[in-house]
Amino acid sequence: MLIKGISASPGIAIHKAFLYVKEEVEVLSTLVEDVEKEIKRLEDALAASKEQLESIKEKAVAELGPEEAEIFEAHIMVLEDPEFATSMLAEIQENKYNAEFAVQTVTERLKQIFEMMDDDYFKARAADIQDVGTRVLNNVAGIENVDISSLDEDVIIIAEDLAPSDTAQMDKNHVKGFATDIGSRTSHTAIMARSLEIPAVLGLGNITSTVKNGEPLILDGQAGIVILNPTEEELAEYQEKKTAYESYVQELATLKEQPGETLDGHRVELVGNIGSPNDVEGVLRNGGEGVGLYRTEFLYMDSDTMPDEETQRIAYEKVLESFEGNVIIRTLDIGGDKKLPYLPLEEELNPFLGLRAIRLCLKETDMFKTQLRAILRASVKGNAHIMFPMISGVTEVILAKSVLKEVMTELDAEGIDYDRDIKVGIMVEIPSAAVTADIIAPEVDFFSIGTNDLCQYTLAVDRMNQQVSYLYDPLHPAILRLIKNVIDASHAHADIFTGMCGEMAGDPLAVPILLGLGLDEFSMSASSIPLAKKIMRSMRFEEAQKLAEEALHLATGEEVKELVRKKLDALDIVVM
Ligand code: PEP
Ligand code: MG
């Protein structure tokens, strides 16, 4: 059976399915007669939980390092806290409750105590208590905790969706593909799959209820399909495709040391998007010259507490030290679908139109200043650029720059060194900023077009909603015109460059058009760099300009795609 989804990360995987579905235990409150038996059930569950956590921690230390493993140490501490286990035992002994109810009651009670504390650190412990409570509950109920941190064989993960914490824990040696019920090309699972270079198909509807654990699968990330229980012929066909794809990737890799340059010497910058210092290796391996987007929110999201200045400085320095080229560090983009457990925000009716990114930072100025201090302190280690996200107009740029100025004055007073000429730019991802790029230009050193959001806001298409994903089209004439407007506005000033860090920058059908429109910098998932480079190195700049000019006169994105497809065919470029 073939199921069609959204192509999220290229490559072919032929492996068994591994169902990663978090089952919920239905907890009923009953009174037990055999108290001893119930206590034994609880004690066994506590012991099993400890064993599981110890082994996950050991693996995390070995594979991800001690910092990433800290979370599991915190979980073990919760488990070993006498208040935790003793209170559960008391619920059974004194109130004769069943073990499930005892675990749930105590977890809930302790969680609430921590949630009510003023201190951010203790507040965050509430999430740990919940995690550990769920683990113990699953063990009491005999539900096997699905664990993807340590797998015995190569698998394709089947899940509803994958949270950043899931991908952080995942056994990267054995996970060879993702297939999920929900998600889109620009959802974080997709971005993560591309940065890990794992083939992925998302938005498959209900793959989690269609596939059985251990069932053989074929996943074609480029075609966006999953084949369940493939026939011998299908297996042979895809094995051949897989081999062809691997040699195609190898051939592209030979361009690694070459610059992003057209046949007639028009040079652009080809850089990578990263979410953490761990992604640097992929960018370097694929020949990226620098970083066009460092999504710093993952540093905040992967932590139980607000990362302090020192933690941030160390992460930023690691990235800066890895590149001679530019490293664009985007300030915190939280809000929308991204939340921080330790930063409670009011519920919003339209979170994507709400208190997100720079809007939140301009409200929470202490948090913002801590990040700016960390970036500035790290800036002496490389070619740091600061980028503000979700800018809607020039006023926000001026406000954000005034906070930056304050931080610089503080560092001056403290005698701390930083790059005084640090370049400051904005993401152009709201249509109002794209339209007024000429007004904003004098205030910035660069623009970086964020097409993931620019499309959602211009076309009024929620980037996560599959029902309207057919309308999500970066090659829509409205988007092309906005892009042109931004590039032209920046080029009217000698020192300003325009880059793009939305997923469109790495789309082979967009690259020739963007090149022709005069985009100066292309920032993309590491694995997209080689093909984008090959396309650029196969064309003359004039050719690309002519193509862009033609595209601007077309009525639909489909027509633009057709035009580019023909061009790539003529250039003998295969997109696999
Ligand atoms: C964008 O919106 O295009 C972008 C690069 O930012 P993010 O995907 O993190 O919202
Ligand atoms: Mg964005």
Side-chain angles (χ1 to χ4, degrees), residues 354-473:
L355 191 62
R356 189 186 157 188
I358 196 69
R359 305 168 180 188
L360 178 66
C361 285
L362 289 173
K363 189 160 173 263
E364 302 280 336
T365 38
D366 285 346
M367 177 180 81
F368 190 32
K369 281 173 134 182
T370 303
Q371 181 170 39
L372 293 173
R373 276 181 70 97
I375 301 175
L376 285 174
R377 288 181 58 199
S379 67
V380 289
K381 301 284 183 182
N383 220 336
H385 288 41
I386 295 178
M387 175 158 75
F388 301 124
M390 284 287 289
I391 293 288
S392 65
V394 72
T395 310
E396 277 166 323
V397 185
I398 293 168
L399 285 173
K401 278 172 63 185
S402 72
V403 180
L404 178 65
K405 185 89 193 53
E406 266 177 57
V407 174
M408 286 178 164
T409 311
E410 279 170 26
L411 291 179
D412 284 337
E414 292 167 44
I416 296 175
D417 200 17
Y418 61 90
D419 176 5
R420 270 153 229 282
D421 299 318
I422 193 162
K423 299 271 185 278
V424 179
I426 63 156
M427 289 206 56
V428 179
E429 52 186 341
I430 299 183
S432 56
V435 172
T436 58
D438 59 326
I439 302 175
I440 301 175
E443 292 294 333
V444 297
D445 298 306
F446 66 92
F447 290 131
S448 182
I449 305 175
T451 46
N452 304 345
D453 279 313
L454 188 63
C455 283
Q456 101 163 331
Y457 295 132
T458 306
L459 305 172
V461 180
D462 176 348
R463 64 193 256 192
M464 306 290 285
N465 184 338
Q466 278 138 249
Q467 301 209 67
V468 288
S469 63
Y470 69 99
L471 290 170
Y472 189 94
D473 182 7

Side-chain angles (χ1 to χ4, degrees), residues 478-533:
I479 307 293
L480 294 186
R481 288 178 194 192
L482 288 177
I483 294 171
K484 179 173 164 36
N485 193 55
V486 178
I487 297 173
D488 290 350
S490 75
H491 290 177
H493 298 255
D495 311 329
I496 306 180
F497 70 88
T498 295
M500 179 179 288
C501 58
E503 294 304 307
M504 182 185 190
D507 179 349
L509 293 182
V511 168
I513 305 285
L514 299 171
L515 187 65
L517 288 173
L519 193 73
D520 302 296
E521 178 235 46
F522 292 66
S523 188
M524 58 194 75
S525 307
S527 59
S528 305
I529 296 175
L531 179 57
K533 192 184 278 187

Side-chain angles (χ1 to χ4, degrees), residues 136-273:
V136 177
L137 187 59
N138 286 345
N139 280 321
V140 171
I143 289 183
E144 225 174 279
N145 269 316
V146 189
D147 177 12
I148 48 172
S149 68
S150 146
L151 299 164
D152 300 328
E153 56 182 338
D154 291 350
V155 296
I156 294 172
I157 298 279
I158 309 292
E160 192 192 354
D161 191 16
L162 290 166
S165 55
D166 297 324
T167 41
Q169 282 184 44
M170 197 171 68
D171 182 343
K172 308 209 173 47
N173 292 325
H174 287 306
V175 173
K176 301 294 176 193
F178 295 164
T180 64
D181 290 343
I182 60 170
S184 66
R185 250 197 90 71
T186 55
S187 68
H188 285 279
T189 308
I191 291 169
M192 194 62 83
R194 286 195 291 277
S195 92
L196 294 169
E197 298 175 49
I198 293 175
V201 181
L202 311 184
L204 284 152
N206 57 356
I207 183 103
T208 45
S209 41
T210 320
V211 173
K212 292 192 189 61
N213 211 19
E215 214 168 353
L217 293 185
I218 293 175
L219 181 149
D220 181 340
Q222 185 67 35
I225 56 167
V226 174
I227 303 175
L228 314 188
N229 284 315
T231 61
E232 286 299 319
E233 291 83 66
E234 283 169 330
L235 280 173
E237 180 192 337
Y238 277 88
Q239 194 54 55
E240 214 171 286
K241 276 194 185 172
K242 184 170 187 295
T243 313
Y245 180 74
E246 282 160 4
S247 47
Y248 170 75
V249 169
Q250 266 175 15
E251 191 214 309
L252 287 177
T254 58
L255 295 175
K256 184 178 169 207
E257 305 300 333
Q258 311 291 325
E261 192 174 76
T262 58
L263 290 171
D264 49 348
H266 173 78
R267 179 87 162 80
V268 297
E269 239 181 288
L270 252 178
V271 289
N273 290 350

Side-chain angles (χ1 to χ4, degrees), residues 117-132:
M117 293 188 182
D118 274 340
D119 186 292
D120 280 349
Y121 176 82
F122 287 114
K123 255 199 186 107
R125 300 276 71 78
D128 293 338
I129 290 166
Q130 180 63 62
D131 273 5
V132 179

